[in-house]
Amino acid sequence: MTVFERMQNRRTVRKFTQTPVPRELLLRCVEAARVAPSAANLQPLQYKIVSGEADCAALFPHLAWAGYLRPNGTPQPGERPTAYIVVVQNTDRRPSAAEFDAGAAIMSMLLCADEEGLGCCWIASVDRDAVAALYGLSETQKVLAVVALGYPAQQAKSVPMQNGDVKYYLDERDILNVPKRSMEDILL
């Protein structure tokens, strides 16, 4: 599959099998993020790999899931991620605007994970203070996002957007449908 095809087909997954993700695959995802573009090449991002049942369970309550699908969008026991990568900005390296770097790094992670057969969910709705405390982060380490990972137990697909409605939804077969704007709608 080409990179373009992977981008066309990759979608967020919020339900996972309970098969653990090997550490080598998690390190590969971090490596993909490490070599992503960085403004002025300052490379302010750091990453915390979280895996193992107890460690994942400790992080889970500090994340908010799928606002459009509440309460069904939150993974239940037996379908929760088996790994996470916490994306952290080191403000000593770049005091502000690291979100641009994080976007490139996280997209690189998502594509790498997809290539390895993993499903992912990029989570920006995070209790940042609680996560920082959980991992003993310093005042110069700011939590930007969390990427949830695991082997997918859910199918997801993009569908044409109808009447400007951006809300993703589960269909009658429990497939997650993600509306996308048309080319005509986005080109100026």
Side-chain angles (χ1 to χ4, degrees):
M1 181 180 295
T2 67
V3 173
F4 182 76
E5 290 167 334
R6 192 162 303 287
M7 287 186 284
Q8 290 285 316
N9 294 307
R10 189 217 61 79
R11 292 278 104 23
T12 294
V13 171
R14 294 180 181 85
K15 294 182 182 183
F16 305 87
T17 73
Q18 297 306 285
T19 304
V21 177
R23 183 160 177 85
E24 311 84 65
L25 292 186
L26 298 171
L27 288 169
R28 186 172 169 90
C29 290
V30 172
E31 175 65 9
R34 183 185 72 81
V35 299
S38 175
N41 201 33
L42 294 177
Q43 303 174 56
L45 302 180
Q46 297 176 290
Y47 306 92
K48 171 69 177 168
I49 294 175
V50 179
S51 61
E53 193 173 331
D55 291 335
C56 287
L59 178 57
F60 185 83
H62 305 297
L63 309 173
W65 294 82
Y68 295 141
L69 299 177
R70 283 193 181 120
N72 297 331
T74 301
Q76 298 303 304
E79 57 188 24
R80 293 182 178 165
T82 57
Y84 298 92
I85 299 173
V86 181
V87 181
V88 175
Q89 172 187 352
N90 183 320
T91 59
D92 283 339
R93 294 188 186 135
R94 180 179 206 101
S96 63
E99 293 82 3
F100 299 106
D101 288 22
I106 292 170
M107 191 65 208
S108 294
M109 268 195 263
L110 299 179
L111 291 171
C112 179
D114 187 75
E115 180 178 58
E116 297 293 342
L118 299 173
C120 299
C121 184
W122 177 349
I123 304 171
S125 187
V126 177
D127 183 338
R128 288 168 175 75
D129 292 336
V131 173
L134 184 63
Y135 300 118
L137 300 181
S138 73
E139 289 183 15
T140 63
Q141 293 172 307
K142 175 183 167 187
V143 175
L144 296 178
V146 174
V147 177
L149 300 107
Y151 293 97
Q154 175 183 55
Q155 291 181 339
K157 66 179 182 177
S158 62
V159 294
M161 185 177 289
Q162 302 294 320
N163 301 317
D165 190 356
V166 298
K167 295 178 183 174
Y168 43 83
Y169 59 93
L170 295 169
D171 66 17
E172 64 282 348
R173 295 181 300 153
D174 208 30
I175 295 173
L176 182 63
N177 288 257
V178 183
K180 295 292 180 183
R181 295 185 190 283
S182 68
M183 282 291 271
E184 295 78 20
D185 194 28
I186 64 167
L187 288 175
L188 297 176

